[in-house]
Amino acid sequence: MTTSSSERGVSLGMPELPAPDYPDDVRTRLEADAREIIGRYPDSRSALLPMLHLVQSEEGYVSRTGVRFCAQLLDLTTAEVTAVATFYTMYRRKPSGDYQVGVCTNTLCAVMGGDAIFESLQEHLGVGNGETTDDGKVTLEHIECNAACDFAPVVMVNWEFFDNQTPDSVRRVVDDLRAGRAVTPTRGAPLCTFKETARILAGFPDEREGATESGGSAGPASLVGLRLAKGEAAPARVVHPRESGPHDEPRDAAVGDASATKHLSSHDAPQKTSASDPSHPAGPVAKEGEES
């Protein structure tokens, strides 16, 4: 005896209706901005990424209406637009909070405390990965490398850096965000809402007073490659094998003086972090290209 799909609890459903258009006033405003974006590129298709940020700035995520709007103005299919919108993680696929709190859980941040931070925030906020608090303020998610490994563990709020964090420090950040208190990133521009951030990412100027003058830089560890590229070679060092003592003479004295070679491998002892050493700097100590 066979059973029908309805008896098995399977709904075949109906084809989804086309997405509705934006209200006339919203469409007029967005279309003016979109034309400006499209005019920046010789091929209109190249404008798709900033246009997705533009529609995200309107609703806080890329809705089906936003996808349809982009497709119409760029002469693309909604499938083509959706393929791009779902490929890049910076585009939200459902309504989200005013502040997107992303915890880096890649290798270095994870071992330095990123995993503990993420677990602590899930418990503290009562939400899982990609979920938003009931008040609509905070969306929590784990994210990929933020290219700030010398400040691990790193948390980002609407893509602004919060360096050298701990579970306690990040809980204070999200509590302040939910309470409407001012929160200052470790470096970079002052915080704004996720919708405002999306508009800036669409290529429109940040008109807040002092925002463009705010800045930050990579730390000394991140600038080593830049200095080497400029020919500013670092002093040569030899890391002794584990079976060797810290005071063994260098095997090849030509690589540098003995004082530069008498040290243990960095793997032999944990390095201090902001959680264990209050004097550890929590922000950049040198501007890009400058000596620390």
Side-chain angles (χ1 to χ4, degrees), residues 236-240 246 248-250 255-264:
R237 299 189 307 170
V238 173
V239 177
H240 289 280
D248 292 345
E249 289 301 315
V255 299
D257 61 58
S259 64
T261 63
K262 293 178 180 179
H263 63 83
L264 292 170

Side-chain angles (χ1 to χ4, degrees), residues 92 95-97 99-102 130-133 137-141:
R92 307 292 300 175
S96 60
Y99 299 97
Q100 179 175 298
V101 176
E131 295 179 351
T132 302
T133 54
K137 293 290 186 181
V138 172
T139 297
L140 175 67
E141 67 175 354

Side-chain angles (χ1 to χ4, degrees), residues 37-97:
I37 293 172
I38 294 170
R40 302 171 190 163
Y41 301 92
D43 183 347
S44 63
R45 186 188 183 106
S46 300
L48 178 54
L49 295 182
M51 279 188 57
L52 286 169
H53 283 299
L54 175 65
V55 297
Q56 186 161 253
S57 74
E58 183 65 30
E59 300 179 85
Y61 72 111
V62 179
S63 66
R64 293 176 59 239
T65 296
V67 168
R68 184 182 181 191
F69 174 81
C70 292
Q72 289 172 340
L73 267 67
L74 298 176
D75 196 24
L76 299 172
T77 66
T78 54
E80 289 174 311
V81 175
T82 300
V84 173
T86 57
F87 181 83
Y88 294 102
T89 58
M90 289 180 75
Y91 300 122
R92 307 292 300 175
R93 299 174 64 182
K94 59 183 180 180
S96 60

Side-chain angles (χ1 to χ4, degrees), residues 103-120:
V103 182
C104 181
T105 53
N106 270 190
T107 305
L108 184 56
C109 278
V111 300
M112 293 293 285
D115 283 345
I117 288 173
F118 187 68
E119 291 173 4
S120 174

